[in-house]
Amino acid sequence: MWYTGVIIVKELTPKQLRVVCIAKDLECKTSADFTPLKDIVGQKRALKALAFGLEIDDHGFNIYVSGAHGTGRTTAVTQYLNEIAAKDPVPSDVVYVSNFGDQYQPMALLLSAGKGNDLVVDLDHFIEAARNAIAKMLDGEEYAGAREERRSQYERQRNAILTEMQAKAQKAGFALRGTQTGLVIVPMMDGEEVKRSQVAKMPADERERIENRREALETELRKLFRKLQSLERELVQELRKMEEEAVRFTLNPLIDDFLDEYTNYPEVSEFIHAIAKDITENLAIFMGQPGGNVPVPPPQQPSRSISPEEFSKRYRANLIVDNSEQKGAPVLIVTNPTYSNLFGRIEKEPRFGTLFTDFSMIRPGALHQANGGYIVIPVRDLLLSPLSYPALKRALQNNHIVIEEPAEQAGFLSMKTLRPAPIPLKIKVVLIGDPFLYQQLYILDPDFRELFKVKADFDTTMDRSEKNIRRYGSFVCSLVQKEKLRALTAEAIAEVVDYSSRLAENQTKLSVQFSVIADVIREANYYAKEDRKRLIDRKHIIQALEARLYRSNLLEEKIREFIEREVILITVKGEEVGQINGLSVLSLGDFAFGRPSRVTASVAPGRGRVIDIERESGLGGNIHHKGVHILSGYLSEKFGREKPLSLSARLVFEQSYSGVEGDSASSTELYALLSALSGVPIQQRFAVTGSVNQHGEVQAIGGVNEKIEGYFAVCKVLGLTGDQGVLIPKANIQNLMLKEEVVKAVEAGKFHLYAVETIDEGIELLTGKPASEINKLADKRLKEMADVMRDYGTPLK
């Protein structure tokens, strides 16, 4: 302990610096002795929210899974969804078929699981059977005889009309002659045809009589010719009707056989009858007879002659969702939630210089495949994909999936293309993201609140209980078995547990960032393999942790080197007025480390203002600036009750060229300020961290382990004197999980740690003088400054 004369600050013992998992307490020799983990660890709250969100069927109760990366959110959610989905019914198959009324709007058929594939096969068989049956019917004697009989009847009627026309022409003195352009009326005289040249030489009155007879004959022939045309139309209509009746008669048994398997699907019945009607209307094309052209060209394709096989594609089915092999409801994880991946697309291919598409080129999206089940989407990727999030909201609001061209959906382009029928949507959407995105979406998007009413919050830690330590062993066992790694010894598992508490930054907690833990075990497995060991031992875990540190701590070593070479000035012995070693944490994303910084304070008469030089230079953040304002509050509370504060104080982090944020240095700055006011030097062997409130209470901060280890490393480089140490807030004792090297140094008396609750405790320890004496000296100096201000009226420059 350190005796100050008034306040006693106890030095922390080695046992307070780190909790240790005892290997023998695990009651195992290796990880193989544990039972593999079957449930999800440490997420009781999240699992309860998940269960509620998945079981409630009301509209809008989709789920947002919130939590830090690496906490096993996706794995846990997928595992839980698979368990629930296995008990749910298998959703319908989805089939797109041609709409013969409008080729641009394909129809959607929903069939029970497995029936979609049956429909595809059955339609192929039906088309083949229909073509064979119709060909046989057309070649049959009965149909051919009926057609021949009707044609003979037509020929007789036609010949009678032609004979009548010839007779009328002869009676009028003309003859009828057939040409390529039709019938021609030719004048006759004495049984001989009269040529035009001969008619032209006749007297005018003779020519007039011939023309009058011609006009009268043309009038009568025109009536007979219309009768002949009517007769031909009747023939065509009757033959067409005969053909249609014969085709229907031929197809009806095939349709009945086909529909025996689809009695519960009226849409299929409508479609197969529509096929029969279309075949009847386009029989020549279907049968490959000469002169057959597509009556209605498929979308985006010019009219042309096509083969019967190609034409028959319009009668087939496009199975976009096949659940024949599905067990329970589908669970789909979408790692790339682009618009097309979610909602499907309409493919096109070049044909004859243009782009061609039809219903057979409709492709499903993830919503189609997960329809009737569950879909998991990373929210950050969803928001980064253009059009995806708004389209997903519309689908959930309207309860159906629409396949559209992305450009058209965005309003950039409008062209005539397919518009497939919407698919009814019944799905539970699970978004996975961090708390920040949840807050932003909840605040800025009213639709989000209505569509994602359930929040499942994943914790980053769990209690370090005996039960949870054993579950950690089960997790290790599961990982080893799943990835075929080497088993861990009990000592290795104990080291993993201790590292987990360090990740959690709490002696009473374990981290549930299992992805980080798993990576450490995988790396340790590599080193065990290199070491040709059958098991992963404690030294391999330590080796993996040290290797991870070595790969990332180049900047830390460079800064330490600068300190050793006195490029960066840090003093770890002696004493100075208004100068103290502060501690901060630098985060590089995958790695964070502590580094000491020299904090200095200067005071002079002024108008009661504490100037934050970091803030004035644009390097200080809002929270750091708040901490400086708190110092003003402390000084006013402590020294300004009977007189106005008449000082101008300046605080700065020396040799700091990047931003400073946070209030963890506010107690450090206050110690420097008190030293500058009182004139009492601070022992430079100490480094300090901790925030402070206006009443002088030292408050907890983050990164306490990194800060202590960072200062220890600097002292080690500059030379351990045996009296160096760090002051931390008492509230941070529970967060200590220091490296063994630091713990051993404390145990050997080479390094010291102290926990303080108030500024008075800290200033006594730092100066070796009672806090009351420091405060009196500071108060005296402030009175002198007040006198100066009163005498001069303005602050000294």
Side-chain angles (χ1 to χ4, degrees), residues 171-174 185 187-189 206-219:
K171 183 178 180 180
F174 292 92
I185 301 174
M188 299 290 291
M189 186 174 292
E206 185 66 23
R207 290 199 306 270
E208 184 178 355
R209 284 195 298 271
I210 292 174
E211 188 61 31
N212 290 338
R213 292 201 313 271
R214 180 195 295 274
E215 291 177 358
L217 177 60
E218 284 181 348
T219 301

Side-chain angles (χ1 to χ4, degrees), residues 137-148 239 242-243 246:
M137 179 272 296
L138 294 177
D139 294 338
E141 294 182 0
E142 182 178 353
Y143 176 74
R147 285 178 63 90
E148 187 60 33
L239 290 178
M242 183 185 302
E243 184 181 73

Side-chain angles (χ1 to χ4, degrees), residues 427-463:
I427 197 171
K428 188 71 71 171
V429 179
V430 180
L431 297 183
I432 295 184
D434 55 48
F436 174 77
L437 287 178
Y438 177 84
Q439 294 166 6
Q440 295 301 305
L441 287 170
Y442 192 89
I443 294 171
L444 301 175
D445 184 7
D447 294 334
F448 178 81
R449 308 172 207 166
E450 297 300 321
L451 295 174
F452 294 90
K453 297 180 180 179
V454 180
K455 179 185 179 184
D457 222 343
F458 271 64
D459 203 350
T460 56
T461 63
M462 63 181 179
D463 293 335

